[in-house]
């Protein structure tokens, strides 16, 4: 039996230091894919945009800058509120998204209760498979 932890929230797509636009997003986590988080953005297109990256990156990024390459996450302030900034890079372009830190943290805590950090391998049965391989 797999557990799904989802949360709808409004993020902001940062266009410039002075301008940002709201973007509907859904955070998703599945216990059968325990290392990953999924973010689906509903922007002005026929298909939603999906991103998948390490849950650990988002957990750490709430507290300190982390990540390099396609996904970078860091805490910040916007209009006196705590936010989490997520920078995404792809061949199609780059995006900087701002999410409310309290909502992201509350959702992450739910995912960490479902699959505590360090127990992800057990969720996948990796430990059993490895033990079986080593026993041969």
């Amino acid at each position: 039996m797999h557990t799904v932890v989802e949360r709808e929230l409004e993020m902001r797509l940062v266009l410039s230091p002075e301008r940002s636009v709201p973007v509907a997003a859904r955070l998703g986590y599945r216990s059968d894919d325990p290392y990953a988080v999924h973010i689906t953005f509903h922007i002005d297109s026929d298909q939603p945009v999906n991103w998948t990256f390490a849950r650990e990156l988002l957990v750490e990024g709430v507290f300190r800058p982390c990540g390099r390459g396609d996904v970078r996450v860091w805490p910040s302030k916007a209009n006196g509120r705590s936010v989490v900034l997520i920078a995404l890079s792809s061949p199609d372009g780059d995006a900087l998204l701002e999410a409310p830190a309290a909502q992201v943290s509350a959702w992450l805590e739910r995912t960490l209760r479902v699959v505590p950090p360090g127990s992800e391998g057990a969720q996948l049965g990796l430990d059993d498979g490895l033990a079986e391989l080593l026993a041969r």
Side-chain angles (χ1 to χ4, degrees):
M1 183 69 184
H2 298 298
T3 305
V4 175
V5 181
E6 289 187 327
R7 170 148 203 173
E8 302 276 341
L9 73 158
E10 184 179 279
M11 292 186 169
R12 299 201 66 82
L13 177 62
V14 180
L15 303 173
S16 73
E18 304 80 37
R19 272 190 72 222
S20 65
V21 294
V23 176
R26 181 188 312 114
L27 300 174
Y29 180 79
R30 299 192 316 261
S31 63
D32 62 336
D33 187 8
Y35 291 102
V37 293
H38 307 274
I39 304 181
T40 303
F41 302 104
H42 299 280
I43 52 176
D44 299 331
S45 62
D46 296 338
Q47 296 296 317
V49 177
N50 298 298
W51 276 80
T52 300
F53 55 91
R55 174 176 72 166
E56 194 178 322
L57 194 64
L58 196 54
V59 169
E60 190 177 331
V62 169
F63 299 103
R64 66 181 86 57
C66 67
R68 52 169 66 91
D70 294 346
V71 180
R72 295 186 336 255
V73 185
W74 67 97
S76 189
K77 292 267 190 231
N79 304 321
R81 302 178 305 125
S82 292
V83 296
V84 178
L85 290 171
I86 303 169
L88 304 172
S89 296
S90 77
D92 297 330
D94 299 338
L96 178 60
L97 292 137
E98 180 187 286
Q103 290 179 26
V104 172
S105 296
W107 174 78
L108 278 170
E109 281 174 26
R110 287 172 48 210
T111 77
L112 295 168
R113 281 199 296 274
V114 170
V115 180
S119 72
E120 293 92 347
Q123 290 294 319
L124 296 173
L126 294 180
D127 298 344
D128 301 340
L130 195 56
E132 195 178 306
L133 280 174
L134 296 174
R136 290 183 183 161

